[in-house]
Amino acid sequence: MSKKQETKNVKSISRKLSLISAVMLVISMIAAELIVIGFGYNMVQDLINKSLKTEVSTDAGLVNRELNATFYYLNGVADAVEQNTFADEAALRSYLEGTIGRYEMIPTGAYLALNDGTFIYPADPSIEEGFVATEKAWYTEAIAYTDKYFYYYDVPYFDTATGNLCSTVQRHVKMKDGREGVFVADLMMSSVQAKLADVNLYDTGKAMMVTTDGLILSYEDASVCGQKLEEQTGNKLLENINEVLTKDDGTVSSVNAGSKYLTCGSTIDGTNWKVIIYVKSSEVFAAVTKIIVTLIIFTILAVAVVVFIMVRVLTKMIKKPVHELTNNIEKIAGGDFTVEVHAKGNDEIAYMNSAMGDFIAGMRDSITDIKDASVRLRGEAHNSQDTADHLEGAAENQSSSMEQIRGTISNMADAVTSVAESATTLAQTIDEVNEGEKRIEESMNTLVQKAEIGKKDMMTVSEGMTNVVASMADMADAVNAVDEAAQKINEIVDMITAISTQTNLLSLNASIEAARAGDAGKGFAVVASEIGNLANNSAQATSEIAGIITEMSSRVRMLSEKSNTNTELINHNAEYVNSAAATFEQITEELSEASDTLNSIAQQMMTVNDVASNMAAVSEEQSASTQEIASQVEVVTEAARGVAESSDMVSVAANSVADAVDVINNNLERFTI
């Protein structure tokens, strides 16, 4: 693309500034309008809310005033019924007839039901016949009241006499004659409905009255009065107005019923009736919408006028001077420094033209000096290039030779390092063998010591077995001696038995002789009898001793046999113990010989270890020397390589300088000065 084509594609700065200014103006005005609209909308909404609250309060006030006036009148009548004494029922009826039509809300007047069964309904006496008021729920409820206030009974309903929607109010009364009863009146809603139907808000706004239970008392369509809100399936407003019943009085809220409605409610004093006004939101904010549309149209017109004026001003003040400056810059970009720039005015653009003129004059002088220096630099660059080429060749040859030397030294260093590593490994292996031999020697010495201890223990056991054998022999001799003593005791027992027999015979003979002597021999007979008893006792004791001796002799013989058996076993085991002691002695001698052999091997391994350590030390010294030589050769090689690379860089730099000088000269030729 040519320079002229590029110039044609350049956007006009005045248009850009106009567009930016217009956008900023639009944004500023929109922001200002949004702020104004926001504040204005809030103010309008507050005013609308206040007007809706005032309207609903006024409409509820109409109903309240109507109710208050009616209640004030009914209270006066009820008080008069209580405080006056009537001559008869006809006088009471006549008084109540005065209430009929007295106020619009009580066209049927008031009626009275007493506890004696009297029921007075002045508006239609025919109803009284057969009507038992005391059985009615409204009577039961009202007769229980303890104060003198009117209360609403149940919910509004359609009166059978008039066909109008009404609400029953009642009060407990006490007559002067002692009777008690209920004073009742039916409040007809037609007058209230008429007043609320006359309420108009904006174009389509109206008022309605609904109980909190959803019973419609008043609405612009009178046919739905007396019906429940949930029954109005065809009316979106009535279907959705239920949510207003739960809100506080004076709260403005919106209801979506196809169109958006603004609503506000107010409760009638002393009831659960709520007056609600409703109006379409579009009607309420119609004025605000008109203001917003007007502001938007004004903004569009204002922006158009401002943009037109700015374009005219910018074209004169910026577009023409900038166009001239752009043409001069285009010529300079093409290498033409012969242009003359004329500055007019004292603004920034004039200052730019003046600075551009100074720049062109300075560039003409600088380009002239650069051309002269470039000619000189071209000759010197070519000389440097030739010198660098010669230096690069010499450095490459030196680097190649040093690479060969470095390879040879490296191989030799690797071989010496391998020998050193092998010697070191051998020395380490011998050290490990020596360590193992030492551990084996220690184990052998421990075994010899334990064998010596075992040998001594076996000798001790052998001596102990010998002593046991001697002790068993002594015990056998003692047992034999006990047996012999038992034999002797048996002989003594036999002798005692014989003596006992002789003594018994002697006692018998003495008794016979005493019997022969008569009374003189009685004393001797007693002695003879005692001697006989003693002989019998001695014989019996001797017999028991003989049994004991016999049993003892039997056990002694048994002990002797077991002693002989144990002696034989001990003698037999003593032979094994002696044999084990001899075996331990042989083990001790063999372990001592093995320990001596290991000591001899250890001495030989120490000699080998010294030789391997010396060889490893010498190899390590040789390896260190070789590595040091290799590192020095590496340094020299790196230096040679660095020289080669530096020479190459010098050559490249020289070539670059020569090329750069050529480029500079070629570029300078395009400038016209």
Side-chain angles (χ1 to χ4, degrees):
M1 185 180 289
S2 65
K3 292 292 183 181
K4 292 183 179 180
Q5 290 174 333
E6 291 180 358
T7 304
K8 291 180 181 179
N9 293 332
V10 174
K11 302 289 184 179
S12 174
I13 190 171
S14 61
R15 292 181 181 176
K16 291 182 178 180
L17 290 173
S18 300
L19 181 61
I20 293 172
S21 300
V23 172
M24 293 179 65
L25 178 62
V26 170
I27 293 174
S28 300
M29 294 186 70
I30 290 174
E33 289 178 2
L34 289 176
I35 293 172
V36 172
I37 290 171
F39 281 110
Y41 182 82
N42 289 333
M43 292 176 64
V44 170
Q45 190 172 31
D46 289 340
L47 291 174
I48 291 171
N49 290 345
K50 289 179 180 178
S51 67
L52 292 176
K53 293 177 184 179
T54 301
E55 179 64 29
V56 76
S57 178
T58 301
D59 297 339
L62 292 175
V63 180
N64 275 322
R65 284 194 297 275
E66 189 78 17
L67 288 174
N68 289 336
T70 304
F71 279 124
Y72 182 79
Y73 172 71
L74 289 175
N75 268 319
V77 174
D79 289 341
V81 168
E82 285 185 324
Q83 294 171 5
N84 293 329
T85 302
F86 297 94
D88 52 19
E89 185 176 317
L92 180 58
R93 180 186 299 275
S94 176
Y95 181 75
L96 293 177
E97 286 176 352
T99 63
I100 298 174
R102 181 66 175 80
Y103 282 90
E104 289 183 347
M105 291 194 73
I106 51 172
T108 59
Y111 51 98
L112 184 64
L114 299 176
N115 57 359
D116 62 352
T118 301
F119 179 65
I120 302 174
Y121 191 77
D124 188 4
S126 63
I127 297 176
E128 299 175 2
E129 187 176 354
F131 189 85
V132 183
T134 56
E135 296 179 356
K136 302 300 181 180
W138 54 266
Y139 178 88
T140 304
E141 179 180 321
I143 200 68
Y145 297 155
T146 58
D147 52 29
K148 294 185 179 182
Y149 295 106
F150 274 96
Y151 292 91
Y152 287 90
Y153 170 71
D154 201 13
V155 296
Y157 62 96
F158 283 96
D159 182 61
T160 56
T162 62
N164 292 329
L165 185 68
C166 70
S167 179
T168 300
V169 293
Q170 53 195 15
R171 170 185 159 179
H172 184 190
V173 293
K174 296 180 180 180
M175 306 287 289
K176 280 284 190 178
D177 55 12
R179 291 181 297 174
E180 294 184 13
V182 178
F183 184 87
V184 188
D186 294 327
L187 302 181
M188 299 302 171
M189 310 299 297
S190 56
S191 61
V192 174
Q193 291 172 337
K195 286 181 173 60
L196 293 178
D198 291 338
V199 174
N200 290 311
L201 193 62
Y202 296 95
D203 293 336
T204 60
K206 291 289 184 179
M208 63 184 297
M209 187 163 64
V210 185
T211 67
T212 55
D213 298 328
L215 181 67
I216 302 173
L217 303 179
S218 175
Y219 187 60
E220 58 181 320
D221 181 7
S223 63
V224 301
C225 293
Q227 299 178 13
K228 289 283 191 177
L229 288 174
E230 60 264 21
E231 299 172 359
Q232 313 308 311
T233 55
N235 190 322
K236 295 292 184 183
L237 177 61
L238 294 180
E239 284 182 11
N240 298 303
I241 205 73
N242 233 338
E243 60 189 57
V244 181
L245 300 177
T246 60
K247 297 185 180 298
D248 295 335
D249 290 350
T251 301
V252 178
S253 59
S254 61
V255 174
N256 188 6
S259 298
K260 186 177 179 182
Y261 284 83
L262 292 179
T263 63
C264 187
S266 179
T267 304
I268 303 300
D269 296 338
T271 70
N272 65 342
W273 306 348
K274 200 160 193 174
V275 175
I276 300 173
I277 60 172
Y278 53 93
V279 62
K280 287 185 178 179
S281 179
S282 58
E283 296 177 5
V284 174
F285 292 100
V288 178
T289 305
K290 290 180 181 179
I291 293 173
I292 293 173
V293 172
T294 303
L295 285 174
I296 292 173
I297 295 173
F298 173 77
T299 300
I300 294 173
L301 293 176
V303 170
V305 172
V306 170
V307 170
F308 176 76
I309 296 173
M310 289 182 65
V311 169
R312 298 285 296 176
V313 172
L314 291 174
T315 299
K316 182 178 180 181
M317 297 180 64
I318 297 177
K319 184 177 180 180
K320 291 182 180 179
V322 170
H323 182 67
E324 294 177 0
L325 180 61
T326 303
N327 291 334
N328 291 332
I329 292 173
E330 185 178 2
K331 291 178 181 179
I332 293 170
D336 185 6
F337 280 87
T338 61
V339 297
E340 295 293 335
V341 179
H342 302 284
K344 296 179 181 180
N346 57 356
D347 54 10
E348 288 84 354
I349 296 176
Y351 178 76
M352 291 170 61
N353 282 322
S354 176
M356 180 61 69
D358 296 340
F359 169 74
I360 291 171
M363 285 297 296
R364 281 199 291 262
D365 297 338
S366 298
I367 290 172
T368 301
D369 295 338
I370 291 171
K371 280 187 174 181
D372 295 339
S374 176
V375 172
R376 294 193 302 273
L377 184 61
R378 177 184 292 177
E380 295 176 359
H382 286 297
N383 293 331
S384 298
Q385 185 176 7
D386 295 336
T387 303
D389 290 338
H390 291 297
L391 179 61
E392 182 182 5
E396 287 180 352
N397 291 332
Q398 181 183 6
S399 176
S400 177
S401 300
M402 293 307 297
E403 286 289 342
Q404 294 178 357
I405 295 172
R406 186 175 68 84
T408 303
I409 296 298
S410 178
N411 293 332
M412 184 172 67
D414 292 340
V416 172
T417 301
S418 178
V419 171
E421 290 177 353
S422 300
T424 302
T425 302
L426 177 61
Q428 292 175 351
T429 303
I430 293 172
D431 286 337
E432 293 175 357
V433 171
N434 285 333
E435 292 295 330
E437 185 275 331
K438 288 180 181 179
R439 290 194 295 271
I440 294 171
E441 182 179 0
E442 292 175 357
S443 299
M444 293 298 293
N445 292 331
T446 303
L447 289 174
V448 170
Q449 293 174 359
K450 290 182 178 180
E452 288 290 342
I453 294 170
K455 178 181 177 182
K456 293 179 180 179
D457 292 340
M458 292 305 296
M459 293 298 294
T460 302
V461 171
S462 177
E463 293 176 358
M465 293 298 290
T466 302
N467 294 331
V468 171
V469 170
S471 298
M472 291 301 294
D474 292 340
M475 187 177 69
D477 293 340
V479 169
N480 291 328
V482 170
D483 189 39
E484 290 177 357
Q487 292 297 330
K488 291 179 179 180
I489 291 171
N490 283 331
E491 291 177 359
I492 295 169
V493 168
D494 291 340
M495 184 178 65
I496 292 171
T497 301
I499 292 171
S500 176
T501 303
Q502 292 295 326
T503 303
N504 194 19
L505 289 174
L506 179 59
S507 173
L508 183 59
N509 289 330
S511 297
I512 294 171
E513 291 296 329
R516 287 177 179 178
D519 293 334
K522 287 182 181 180
F524 187 71
V526 173
V527 173
S529 176
E530 290 297 327
I531 291 172
N533 292 333
L534 178 60
N536 289 329
N537 292 335
S538 297
Q540 185 178 358
T542 302
S543 177
E544 292 175 358
I545 292 171
I548 294 171
I549 293 301
T550 300
E551 185 179 356
M552 185 179 68
S553 297
S554 175
R555 295 193 178 194
V556 167
R557 281 194 296 274
M558 187 185 297
L559 178 62
S560 177
E561 293 173 358
K562 290 183 178 179
S563 177
N564 292 330
T565 302
N566 291 335
T567 301
E568 292 176 359
L569 291 174
I570 291 171
N571 289 330
H572 187 65
N573 290 330
E575 293 177 359
Y576 285 115
V577 170
N578 292 329
S579 177
T583 302
F584 268 106
E585 186 174 1
Q586 292 177 0
I587 291 172
T588 303
E589 292 175 357
E590 291 176 358
L591 287 174
S592 298
E593 293 176 359
S595 178
D596 294 338
T597 303
L598 286 173
N599 289 330
S600 176
I601 293 171
Q603 294 297 328
Q604 295 174 2
M605 292 301 292
M606 291 295 292
T607 302
V608 175
N609 187 24
D610 294 337
V611 173
S613 299
N614 292 332
M615 184 173 67
V618 172
S619 298
E620 289 177 355
E621 292 177 358
Q622 291 180 352
S623 176
S625 300
T626 305
Q627 290 177 356
E628 184 176 359
I629 294 171
S631 63
Q632 295 296 328
V633 171
E634 181 71 24
V635 173
V636 175
T637 303
E638 290 296 328
R641 189 182 294 112
V643 171
E645 292 176 354
S646 299
S647 301
D648 189 16
M649 292 172 64
V650 170
S651 177
V652 172
N655 290 330
S656 298
V657 170
D659 294 339
V661 171
D662 293 336
V663 172
I664 291 172
N665 287 325
N666 292 332
N667 288 326
L668 289 174
E669 288 176 358
R670 61 189 286 271
F671 292 110
T672 304
I673 57 176

